[in-house]
Amino acid sequence: MLSVAETEKIILDLVKPFDPEIDSEILPLSQAITRILAEDINSTMDFPHWDNSAMDGYALRYADLADLSELKLVIASEEIPAGTAIAKSLRQGECIRIFTGGMLPHGADTVIMQEDTERTDNFLQLKVKPIQGEYVRRKGEFIQAGTTLVKAGTKLSATEVGALASARCQTVKVYRQPKIAIISTGNELLSLDSSQPMQVGQIIDSNLYALSALIDQVGAIAMPFGSVGDDPSKLRKIMQQAIASADIVISTGGVSVGDYDYVDQILGKMGADIYVQSVAIKPGKPLTVASISPSLNVNKSEDKVLYFGIPGNPMSAMTSFWRFIRGAIAKLNGSNQTYWYPQFIKAVTMKDLHSQGRRETYLWGDLTYQKGQPIFQPVQNYSSGNLISAIGSNALAVMHINQTYVPMGDAVMIMLV
């Protein structure tokens, strides 16, 4: 068995990221949320666009305060609300009413907020002496025109979309969404939308829906190919169709050592390069990772499709996705490296955790916070076939090889999902 770290490296080394020229599209900014930026976007203007006030108050010349026996200024007759520019320059000993966002007049370099002043007719009494430059946002202080505003590989969230809108960026170049094919294997499976009654021994193909949801969550396009029984010829046909149609193929079931596990055999006959077949992880030990030409012509020079054969047990399938496949999709779609790897934190476990210690073990549960402290509440049943136990889970506790016990109250490594 390969270690989890070795497997992760093999997978990421196999992934060739999308070409920003070939695998990209132009979208209106309003449709680009959660998409991956395919090129750097430089700011076309300074932010702020001009010196402006960060407070409602009075703009003044700080140098005037040194010449005053008392902190008292003459108030100019004009006011400066946001969105208004005036040609006036402040004279010595003069201040002007200004509102948040208002453009500073010539000569002003400091703003005192209105709460620190007292106005009497046309005179302003300062209760405190302000700090020079206080409450002034200088032109270009946030970013200067010509510098990078958002980098390629960034997943666009509301903050990036808002910043790009501020820069009058109406369209963006983003990577296309990867197409991920899903195949479920096994005679025991019954499609959710099947009109046939469920027979004794059958189960509903939940993996197709769970994996489709996971794929949607990471910004890719799920392509369900349905379920196929344990028939090598039928399985090969549907595998060929999926490989020819998708950037990544995921099949569930058929990758262990049973008499009806045909995936690795079929991949081998189709000329695939198989890099992983077993990983020291629980759940998810039987994991096939292969690459294969989409034309099924190994001599043709073209990008190969990455193939994942993962276990059929629901929690094994989901753990395999969270730990390995999610990162592969992130690298493929042009995301920067922070998205390639799982996010881990330390949390206190609310129950004892147990493991046999022979494989890196992932135990699902609920991560919450109490007074800022991460708290992990494990579930009662860790059967990889028990998807019901995972309802509400948002994290996995990680027990390393040779780590057999973590007592309640101790810290444990947590993978966020």
Side-chain angles (χ1 to χ4, degrees):
M1 292 185 291
L2 295 174
S3 71
V4 170
E6 288 173 321
T7 302
E8 178 183 65
K9 184 178 187 307
I10 289 170
I11 291 169
L12 291 177
D13 286 347
L14 287 171
V15 176
K16 181 180 178 182
F18 281 160
D19 186 313
E21 298 304 320
I22 299 172
D23 299 302
S24 61
E25 57 185 336
I26 305 296
L27 288 182
L29 182 62
S30 60
Q31 298 177 18
I33 189 70
T34 72
R35 298 297 293 273
I36 310 300
L37 202 60
E39 63 181 4
D40 291 348
I41 296 183
N42 294 334
S43 179
T44 57
M45 58 188 79
D46 293 327
F47 284 90
H49 309 320
W50 49 76
D51 293 354
N52 70 91
S53 176
M55 281 284 180
D56 291 346
Y58 294 85
L60 53 87
R61 304 185 337 163
Y62 184 79
D64 289 346
L65 303 183
D67 300 328
L68 296 176
S69 57
E70 58 177 340
L71 300 179
K72 192 172 186 178
L73 297 169
V74 176
I75 303 172
S77 58
E78 297 92 339
E79 289 185 340
I80 309 177
T84 300
I86 65 171
K88 177 180 177 59
S89 296
L90 287 187
R91 296 190 292 267
Q92 185 175 9
E94 188 178 42
C95 66
I96 190 168
R97 183 81 165 108
I98 195 168
F99 296 89
T100 303
M103 183 175 177
L104 257 67
H106 182 72
D109 62 0
T110 301
V111 172
I112 185 168
M113 63 180 180
Q114 62 187 25
E115 292 89 340
D116 289 336
T117 65
E118 186 173 315
R119 181 171 182 164
T120 304
D121 297 326
N122 290 329
F123 291 92
L124 187 73
Q125 184 73 46
L126 279 60
K127 298 177 182 178
V128 297
K129 185 176 182 179
I131 300 171
Q132 186 173 13
E134 192 170 25
Y135 300 126
V136 173
R137 297 183 290 218
R138 294 294 181 187
K139 178 183 179 182
E141 177 184 328
F142 304 158
I143 191 170
Q144 296 181 346
T147 55
T148 301
L149 181 60
V150 187
K151 293 183 178 180
T154 300
K155 185 175 182 179
L156 296 177
S157 68
T159 51
E160 287 82 25
V161 168
L164 292 170
S166 299
R168 305 194 73 175
C169 183
Q170 296 182 325
T171 61
V172 289
K173 183 178 181 180
V174 296
Y175 287 103
R176 68 175 178 86
Q177 295 174 285
K179 295 179 290 185
I180 316 297
I182 313 167
I183 305 168
S184 299
T185 75
N187 290 332
E188 72 280 13
L189 297 178
L190 181 67
S191 174
L192 178 60
D193 57 7
S194 174
S195 60
Q196 300 297 318
M198 182 180 291
Q199 303 298 318
V200 175
Q202 285 188 314
I203 58 173
I204 296 296
D205 179 14
S206 63
N207 283 337
L208 201 66
Y209 290 85
L211 289 171
S212 292
L214 290 172
I215 290 165
D216 288 343
Q217 286 177 353
V218 298
I221 299 172
M223 301 175 61
F225 276 74
S227 59
V228 58
D230 297 316
D231 182 316
S233 62
K234 291 181 179 179
L235 179 55
R236 176 168 179 155
K237 182 177 180 180
I238 200 168
M239 287 170 63
Q240 288 174 333
Q241 293 172 354
I243 290 166
S245 305
D247 300 299
I248 291 176
V249 178
I250 305 171
S251 65
T252 61
V255 289
S256 191
V257 293
D259 292 343
Y260 297 97
D261 295 324
Y262 300 117
V263 170
D264 287 11
Q265 297 175 30
I266 295 171
L267 286 170
K269 290 177 181 178
M270 289 195 298
D273 296 312
I274 299 178
Y275 298 90
V276 178
Q277 290 181 291
S278 182
V279 183
I281 186 172
K282 183 179 181 180
K285 172 185 170 183
L287 173 69
T288 293
V289 180
S291 65
I292 187 168
S293 169
S295 66
L296 306 182
N297 180 357
V298 294
N299 296 317
K300 185 177 179 181
S301 177
E302 59 188 344
D303 293 341
K304 291 189 174 183
V305 172
L306 196 58
Y307 191 105
F308 290 94
I310 63 179
N313 277 325
M315 287 312 298
S316 297
M318 296 186 75
T319 302
S320 297
F321 185 94
W322 284 323
R323 189 60 187 87
F324 301 116
I325 303 176
R326 181 171 58 179
I329 295 174
K331 183 176 180 181
L332 179 68
N333 72 8
S335 298
N336 64 48
Q337 289 194 28
T338 58
Y339 297 104
W340 299 2
Y341 303 96
Q343 184 180 356
F344 296 96
I345 66 169
K346 286 276 191 177
V348 172
T349 179
M350 300 302 289
K351 293 182 181 178
D352 292 349
L353 301 177
H354 298 274
S355 166
Q356 293 177 336
R358 294 195 291 267
R359 290 178 275 161
E360 191 166 298
T361 301
Y362 290 71
L363 306 172
W364 46 99
D366 182 34
L367 180 70
T368 57
Y369 291 83
Q370 296 180 10
K371 298 181 179 179
Q373 171 68 51
I375 303 296
F376 180 72
Q377 182 69 46
V379 302
Q380 296 291 339
N381 186 300
Y382 286 113
S383 168
S384 60
N386 186 2
L387 184 60
I388 307 304
S389 70
I391 293 174
S393 293
N394 61 1
L396 302 174
V398 184
M399 296 185 66
H400 302 292
I401 292 177
N402 296 324
Q403 184 181 26
T404 59
Y405 175 59
V406 178
M408 181 179 67
D410 274 15
V412 64
M413 189 70 73
I414 300 292
M415 186 176 85
L416 306 181
V417 300

